[in-house]
Amino acid sequence: MNPIILPITLTTAGATALIAFWLALRTGGTRRAAKVSIGDGGDAALICRMRAQANFTEYAPFILVLIALIEFTAGTSTWLWIASVAFLIGRILHPLGMDGMKFGRSTGTAITFLLLVGLGLYAISLPLIAKHDAKPTVIETTPVTG
C-alpha cells in the first residue's frame, strides 16, 4: 500500500462527509414530520435544521481547502490535527445549538470563525516566510533509450 498523502485532509474530508450526511438526515426527517416537501412551510424546527445544514455548507469547503493547502505546503503537524478536530467538534456543536443545546451554536460558530481567520492568516503567511533560493533549482534529465 502506498503511503497516505495528506492524512489530515483525508480524515477531515471523510468526517465532514459524514457530518453532511447526518445534517441531511436531520433536515429530511424534520421535513417529513412537518409534511413540507419544498421550502420551510413556516415550520420553526425545519427552518433551524435547514439553516444549520446551509451554514455547514457555507464554511466547510473553506476550512477543508485551507487544511489541504497548508498540509500540502507545510506538512502534517500536530497543531493541524488539533485544528481539524476542533473544526469537526464545532460543526457538530452548531446544529445541536440550533436545536436548543445551550452554547452549542455560539461555541460552534466561534470555533469555525477562529479557525477560518487563523488558518487563512497562516496560509497567507506561508509564502511570505518561506525561504527562497537565490538560484532556481535545476533538475537534469537524461533521455530514456530503449
Side-chain angles (χ1 to χ4, degrees), residues 97-141:
M98 294 288 284
D99 282 350
M101 179 185 174
K102 192 172 186 173
F103 302 115
R105 181 180 180 194
S106 59
T107 303
T109 299
I111 290 169
T112 301
F113 285 176
L114 287 171
L115 287 170
L116 195 61
V117 171
L119 292 171
L121 289 172
Y122 185 59
I124 290 169
S125 74
L126 281 173
L128 301 175
I129 61 175
K131 292 183 179 183
H132 298 285
D133 293 335
K135 295 184 262 178
T137 303
V138 177
I139 299 173
E140 294 185 32
T141 59

Side-chain angles (χ1 to χ4, degrees), residues 60-113:
F62 287 107
I63 300 290
L64 279 173
V65 166
L66 285 166
I67 288 171
L69 292 173
I70 290 168
E71 186 176 18
F72 183 76
T73 302
T76 303
S77 66
T78 302
W79 79 264
L80 200 54
W81 276 112
I82 293 167
S84 171
V85 170
F87 165 68
L88 296 170
I89 290 169
R91 292 291 79 201
I92 291 169
L93 286 174
H94 181 269
L96 295 176
M98 294 288 284
D99 282 350
M101 179 185 174
K102 192 172 186 173
F103 302 115
R105 181 180 180 194
S106 59
T107 303
T109 299
I111 290 169
T112 301
F113 285 176

